[in-house]
Amino acid sequence: MKKILLVQIFLLIGMCSFAQVPSLQKAQQMKVDDLSDEQVRQIVAEMKRNKLSFDQIDSYAQQKGIPADQVLKLKDRIRTLNLEKEFTGGTPGATKLDDAERTVDNENTISARDIQPMSAADKRRMKIFGAELFSNKNLTFEPNLRMATPPNYRLAAGDELVIDVYGYSEVQHKLKVSPEGYVRIPYLGPVYVNGLTMDEATTRITKQLATIYGGIKSGNTFVQISLGTIRSIKVLLIGEIDRPGSYTLPSLATVANALYVSGGPNENGSFRDIQVIRNGNPLARFDLYDFLTNGDLTNNIVLQDQDIVKVNPYKTRVELVGEVKRPAIFEVKDSESLQDILSFAGGYTDKSFREMIRATRINNKEREVVNIPASQVASFKLQSGDRIFIDSVLNRYTNRVTIAGAVFHPGEYALEGNMTVADLIKKADGVKEEASLPRAMIFRLNDDFTPAGTSFNVQDVLSGKQNITLQREDSVVIYSKLGLREHYQVKISGQVNAPGYFNYADSLYLEDLILMAGGLKDAASLQRVEVSRRVRGKMYNAQDSTTSIVAQFDLSSDLSTMAGYALQPFDEVVVRKSPTYLEQASVSIDGEVVYPGAYTINSKREKISDLMKRAGGLRPEAYPEGAVLLRKTFVNASDSALLDSKLQVFYNKLEDSTDISKMQSVVSRKEQLLGINLQKILDQPGSKFDLFLEEGDIIKIPKKLQTVQLFGEIYFPKKVRFDKHTGFRDYIRGAGGFTNSALKRRSYIVYANGEVKSTSKVLFFNRYPKVRPGAEIYVPAKKEGRALTGQEAVGITTGFASLALIIITILDRIK
């Protein structure tokens, strides 16, 4: 079962790498670096379908001879893509491995906690100096398997030797070191290499090969021996570590590599006291701070099979916060002081306050605050739990004065000995032309740092009449005349090309403002140009009700003037439209007239009959009863000013939102159909039927119509030929008659000119309107009635029964 599952996994890997089913040799030569992220995801998906857990990859790969370094890379790729959670927690349905074959204990498998929010312990661990080393996906401490074999590397079971014989004899062998320590060379037999270095193994194997290749002794044949696939070793990681357990690693793996794959020290683990135990005896101690601070990996020794890496609990930790370059929690050795911890933190920042450092310490009963002068930093002994705070310098200056406002170079300046206000103004390159010289201000701080202010005359200071000495943190403000008044503007509106507000300038005349506004429009009137002005500077008089000063002027056509009207700030000018100026207004007539097209209205009293005369009258095939007038709706100057408010009241009365939307669409439509009786207009020009023309009117006159259209609750709505001898009911019968849901008494006709006539009631009979050519007949539907509920039916029945009983009782008594 194990072999089948493994073959399935690496067949998939081979297909992803080589696009075909690989042989075992190709699987052994697989390069994880050549796999894409998508191919790694496919491998994980296949392993998940086969119910494989993450901790079984090493053992299965070892059974099939897959290089351990490639398996390690595959696991790192899976972790980098955060695919560990895709695996199952155990191995249901698969044969369990023996304890000796387990590569990782249960704590190394993915669980629900891995995808939960970070706990408080994890957050504290991330603050520990060096913890980020084990969460950085770009740093793995992976051993370099492409480098030359180290001279002190000793061969052991599982290593692969590449023996290359060349010269007069050509042969190459790739041989695995057996568990007993031998390599079996074809035609030669086993050679013992266990525990030998590469130089020693080369000497021994060459000596043995010389017995079958005579050219080796004569110098005509040469032997080169190199290390092929390296073996895997098992290393046990114990103590205060994130994921303790047994790990299978390449034989070139170091302590740092083992720590990385196991997650590194946990919250209580030491970063500075990591032991390597070999054969029961302590071999080396690894201090991660040597690497983090100095890049020193001297004690990062290469591990051997069955080595134990033990992470001891920390003894002393302190936290450094505030103005240091790397605030964090640091581990302290007995011989180290606060100065050493500051070095680990990269030293002070540029704005740190170094004269006095504050610390909080936990004693036997409670906490205490400790002051650490700068002179004691190098000798101050730390205790576990100390929290050291490096403050920042004050956000204030010892010799700063400031000048702002109407000077050429405002800003901050250094306060020099006996410096005066005049000296500061000179350093700022003097005052600007718009400066207000009679009065300026100095804002300063009293001895108790409460704000105070004093004023001075700028002219007196500059001339030397007034001498004011500056103090630290003084702020001098020279005010601008322009800043002390409201922004001056003038306004022009009406018949100018660019109406609006313009900046006021001295000696600005009415004609100048018109030029600034782009000149007059064609419709502008040169008479009665009106200027309104604010009332200012008058004495109060209760009888005076004047609110503004208004003046009217007549302009020349070229805006020339000898003594124009001078404007003042905030004047408002209105140029009105000439009362005799009118723009052309056009109407259109289409259809069956002699000269259809657009016409310009030449008189305010021009009517439809006048337009018909200008258009040459009707053609013989025209149908005047179907003529319609399309007119702009609710946008004409003649419409009521209260129309909008009336429409809003009407909307409020409508309960159905659909009705409201329909009405709004009608109102917003640019044109509306207006029914006219063109025949009466032509017969009676100037009568009440003859409407005045308005701009945008469109008159449409159709040809003689010969059909009638039927809509609504009839069995077969259709369009039929018009017959003057056929009445309303006849047309309905010809379309199949009324349906059961037809509301006959509400039937109506829309004629071709837009006129609408509805059915009327005469006694108990319906009187239907007359049908004309081009008419549309509409038969509405009845409203659906609500059926009686069971309780309502029972109630009515009971009521009738009770009424019948009362009537019978009364009749009996009468008898």
Side-chain angles (χ1 to χ4, degrees):
M1 182 65 179
K2 292 186 289 185
K3 292 182 178 180
I4 294 174
L5 292 176
L6 182 64
V7 170
Q8 289 175 340
I9 295 171
F10 287 106
L11 281 179
L12 177 62
I13 295 175
M15 286 186 286
C16 295
S17 303
F18 307 107
Q20 59 183 0
V21 178
S23 62
L24 179 60
Q25 183 179 3
K26 285 188 176 181
Q28 292 174 349
Q29 296 174 355
M30 181 199 68
K31 301 296 183 183
V32 174
D33 292 337
D34 297 333
L35 299 179
S36 65
D37 291 346
E38 183 59 32
Q39 290 171 335
V40 175
R41 291 189 179 93
Q42 292 176 7
I43 295 171
V44 173
E46 181 66 21
M47 296 177 69
K48 182 180 177 183
R49 285 194 291 270
N50 289 312
K51 302 184 184 300
L52 291 176
S53 63
F54 185 78
D55 57 350
Q56 290 181 294
I57 299 176
D58 297 292
S59 59
Y60 281 143
Q62 186 177 7
Q63 291 179 12
K64 297 301 295 180
I66 304 300
D69 61 308
Q70 296 301 318
V71 177
L72 182 62
K73 288 183 178 180
L74 178 61
K75 293 173 70 174
D76 289 339
R77 287 285 298 277
I78 292 173
R79 291 192 187 98
T80 302
L81 296 174
N82 197 24
L83 297 175
E84 290 173 289
K85 59 180 178 290
E86 298 291 334
F87 292 92
T88 56
T91 57
T95 305
K96 293 187 177 180
L97 300 176
D98 297 332
D99 293 340
E101 294 178 327
R102 292 182 61 84
T103 57
V104 186
D105 65 5
N106 291 334
E107 292 183 8
N108 194 32
T109 58
I110 288 295
S111 60
R113 67 179 177 83
D114 294 312
I115 57 176
Q116 291 177 353
M118 186 180 293
S119 63
D122 291 335
K123 291 180 180 179
R124 177 175 173 80
R125 181 173 181 263
M126 293 305 297
K127 294 173 62 177
I128 299 173
F129 179 64
E132 71 278 2
L133 201 66
F134 301 100
S135 60
N136 187 351
K137 298 299 182 182
N138 296 322
L139 181 64
T140 64
F141 290 105
E142 182 180 340
N144 186 2
L145 303 179
R146 295 187 177 93
M147 69 178 184
T149 306
N152 60 348
Y153 182 82
R154 295 189 177 275
L155 298 173
D159 283 337
E160 182 186 61
L161 290 179
V162 179
I163 303 173
D164 189 9
V165 180
Y166 61 96
Y168 279 6
S169 300
E170 295 282 347
V171 67
Q172 188 181 64
H173 303 290
K174 290 185 178 180
L175 306 173
K176 282 275 188 179
V177 180
S178 68
E180 292 78 17
Y182 292 91
V183 290
R184 185 175 182 84
I185 302 175
Y187 311 110
L188 180 64
V191 179
Y192 189 78
V193 295
N194 187 54
L196 301 180
T197 64
M198 286 299 298
D199 291 339
E200 294 171 346
T202 300
T203 302
R204 179 173 295 186
I205 293 173
T206 302
K207 184 178 180 181
Q208 295 293 327
L209 287 172
T211 60
I212 60 175
Y213 297 106
I216 295 177
K217 293 181 180 179
S218 62
N220 296 325
T221 302
F222 306 93
V223 178
Q224 183 178 8
I225 300 176
S226 59
L227 187 64
T229 302
I230 63 174
R231 68 184 183 275
S232 297
I233 61 174
K234 285 183 178 293
V235 178
L236 182 64
L237 285 94
I238 60 175
E240 300 296 331
I241 203 160
D242 191 53
R243 295 190 296 272
S246 177
Y247 288 82
T248 300
L249 302 173
S251 56
L252 292 177
T254 62
V255 179
N257 180 226
L259 288 172
Y260 183 84
V261 297
S262 62
N266 60 18
E267 183 186 5
N268 297 319
S270 172
F271 281 69
R272 314 198 63 184
D273 187 13
I274 302 169
Q275 285 182 291
V276 178
I277 302 172
R278 183 173 295 168
N279 299 325
N281 298 316
L283 180 65
R285 288 183 182 271
F286 181 50
D287 188 347
L288 270 171
Y289 279 23
D290 291 339
F291 169 68
L292 292 172
T293 58
N294 303 318
D296 184 7
L297 289 172
T298 302
N299 290 330
N300 185 29
I301 64 172
V302 178
L303 298 173
Q304 293 186 11
D305 195 30
Q306 304 304 321
D307 277 355
I308 298 175
V309 179
K310 180 184 178 184
V311 179
N312 294 311
Y314 75 88
K315 292 182 179 179
T316 303
R317 272 186 187 164
V318 298
E319 184 176 4
L320 212 59
V321 296
E323 295 301 326
V324 289
K325 294 175 182 175
R326 287 194 295 266
I329 297 174
F330 296 89
E331 190 173 343
V332 185
K333 288 185 176 181
D334 294 338
S335 60
E336 293 174 340
S337 65
L338 177 56
Q339 184 63 55
D340 298 315
I341 305 304
L342 286 170
S343 299
F344 293 153
Y348 299 103
T349 63
D350 296 335
K351 59 179 181 178
S352 61
F353 176 65
R354 310 178 188 185
E355 297 300 320
M356 183 65 66
I357 298 175
R358 292 171 285 164
T360 58
R361 173 169 290 176
I362 303 173
N363 55 31
N364 294 331
K365 294 183 179 181
E366 54 191 359
R367 298 179 183 270
E368 63 177 339
V369 178
V370 181
N371 295 327
I372 310 170
S375 59
Q376 299 180 11
V377 170
S379 59
F380 185 78
K381 293 298 180 183
L382 299 165
Q383 294 183 12
S384 189
D386 284 355
R387 191 173 190 271
I388 298 103
F389 175 70
I390 291 85
D391 204 350
S392 62
V393 297
L394 297 176
N395 189 21
R396 51 193 287 187
Y397 295 83
T398 59
N399 63 338
R400 178 179 66 174
V401 289
T402 305
I403 187 169
V407 292
F408 286 104
H409 296 286
E412 298 175 351
Y413 291 86
L415 177 63
E416 300 170 349
N418 298 321
M419 187 174 179
T420 64
V421 174
D423 297 332
L424 180 59
I425 294 175
K426 291 178 182 178
K427 289 182 180 295
D429 204 16
V431 296
K432 292 182 178 180
E433 294 80 2
E434 71 270 17
S436 178
L437 301 180
R439 196 174 189 87
M441 292 291 295
I442 301 176
F443 297 95
R444 63 177 35 159
L445 299 176
N446 294 324
D447 294 338
D448 58 354
F449 265 63
T450 56
T454 182
S455 60
F456 64 92
N457 188 294
V458 179
Q459 287 178 325
D460 292 344
V461 166
L462 294 178
S463 63
K465 294 181 181 179
Q466 191 176 5
N467 192 16
I468 303 175
T469 304
L470 294 173
Q471 300 178 10
R472 180 170 68 93
E473 293 297 325
D474 275 359
S475 179
V476 178
V477 181
I478 310 295
Y479 293 98
S480 169
K481 295 177 182 178
L482 302 179
L484 295 176
R485 72 182 189 188
E486 187 179 354
H487 182 57
Y488 286 175
Q489 286 184 316
V490 288
K491 179 184 177 183
I492 185 169
S493 60
Q495 297 300 311
V496 290
N497 292 315
Y501 288 90
F502 295 87
N503 292 329
Y504 172 79
D506 289 339
S507 302
L508 181 67
Y509 291 90
L510 171 61
E511 292 81 359
D512 300 330
L513 180 59
I514 293 175
L515 292 175
M516 293 167 63
L520 298 171
K521 287 186 176 181
D522 187 51
S525 173
L526 297 176
Q527 286 77 37
R528 296 180 177 270
V529 176
E530 198 168 77
V531 180
S532 59
R533 178 169 294 171
R534 293 181 179 182
V535 177
R536 54 170 72 90
K538 293 178 61 177
M539 297 298 294
Y540 174 74
N541 184 355
Q543 304 299 322
D544 190 355
S545 60
T546 303
T547 58
S548 64
I549 301 171
V550 179
Q552 291 183 345
F553 302 91
D554 293 342
L555 301 176
S556 59
S557 58
D558 57 357
L559 300 180
S560 60
T561 179
M562 295 300 292
Y565 183 74
L567 298 176
Q568 294 184 9
F570 310 109
D571 280 356
E572 295 185 1
V573 178
V574 181
V575 180
R576 306 195 183 280
K577 185 177 181 180
S578 173
T580 60
Y581 186 88
L582 292 175
E583 297 178 1
Q584 298 91 333
S586 62
V587 295
S588 177
I589 184 167
D590 297 329
E592 300 304 315
V593 291
V594 178
Y595 300 105
Y599 290 84
T600 301
I601 301 176
N602 55 24
S603 170
K604 292 183 178 181
R605 304 188 64 82
E606 188 170 6
K607 294 188 175 185
I608 297 175
S609 58
D610 301 323
L611 179 62
M612 291 299 298
K613 293 178 182 178
R614 293 171 64 184
L618 297 175
R619 290 175 179 267
E621 61 273 17
Y623 181 58
E625 289 82 359
V628 295
L629 171 64
L630 297 177
R631 174 165 289 182
K632 293 181 180 179
T633 306
F634 309 125
V635 294
N636 297 318
S638 59
D639 289 331
S640 170
L642 300 177
L643 182 59
D644 288 339
S645 60
K646 290 179 180 178
L647 287 172
Q648 190 59 48
V649 172
F650 178 70
Y651 294 152
N652 295 336
K653 290 181 180 180
L654 295 176
E655 298 179 356
D656 190 352
S657 60
T658 303
D659 294 338
I660 295 176
S661 62
K662 287 181 180 179
M663 185 61 190
Q664 288 176 337
S665 65
V666 170
V667 173
S668 61
R669 199 177 303 162
K670 294 182 179 180
E671 296 173 346
Q672 272 293 303
L673 180 66
L674 182 61
I676 59 174
N677 194 326
L678 184 58
Q679 191 60 55
K680 290 186 177 180
I681 292 174
L682 296 176
D683 295 340
Q684 304 174 26
S687 65
K688 63 179 181 178
F689 303 104
D690 197 2
L691 302 178
F692 289 111
L693 294 174
E694 293 185 3
E695 181 182 3
D697 282 353
I698 300 175
I699 298 176
K700 293 182 177 292
I701 303 171
K703 291 182 180 180
K704 291 181 179 180
L705 302 175
Q706 298 176 319
T707 59
V708 175
Q709 179 71 55
L710 293 93
F711 297 98
E713 296 301 320
I714 52 179
Y715 283 104
F716 192 70
K718 61 179 180 177
K719 181 179 288 188
V720 298
R721 181 178 59 84
F722 172 75
D723 188 348
K724 64 180 180 179
H725 301 294
T726 303
F728 187 97
R729 293 295 298 268
D730 297 326
Y731 283 108
I732 297 296
R733 291 190 192 96
F738 293 107
T739 64
N740 294 332
S741 59
L743 188 59
K744 302 176 184 178
R745 56 190 176 86
R746 290 287 184 261
S747 301
Y748 61 94
I749 287 182
V750 178
Y751 295 111
N753 66 346
E755 183 183 358
V756 180
K757 285 192 176 182
S758 59
T759 302
S760 59
K761 199 77 171 179
V762 179
L763 297 178
F764 299 101
F765 303 98
N766 292 328
R767 183 178 180 181
Y768 297 103
K770 184 179 179 181
V771 182
R772 299 174 186 169
E776 297 176 355
I777 298 174
Y778 291 88
V779 180
K782 298 177 182 177
K783 290 185 178 180
E784 294 184 2
R786 184 174 63 87
L788 295 176
T789 63
Q791 293 180 348
E792 290 174 341
V794 171
I796 293 174
T797 304
T798 304
F800 278 119
S802 301
L803 180 60
L805 181 60
I806 293 172
I807 295 173
I808 293 172
T809 303
I810 294 173
L811 292 176
D812 288 341
R813 290 183 179 180
I814 293 174
K815 291 179 181 179

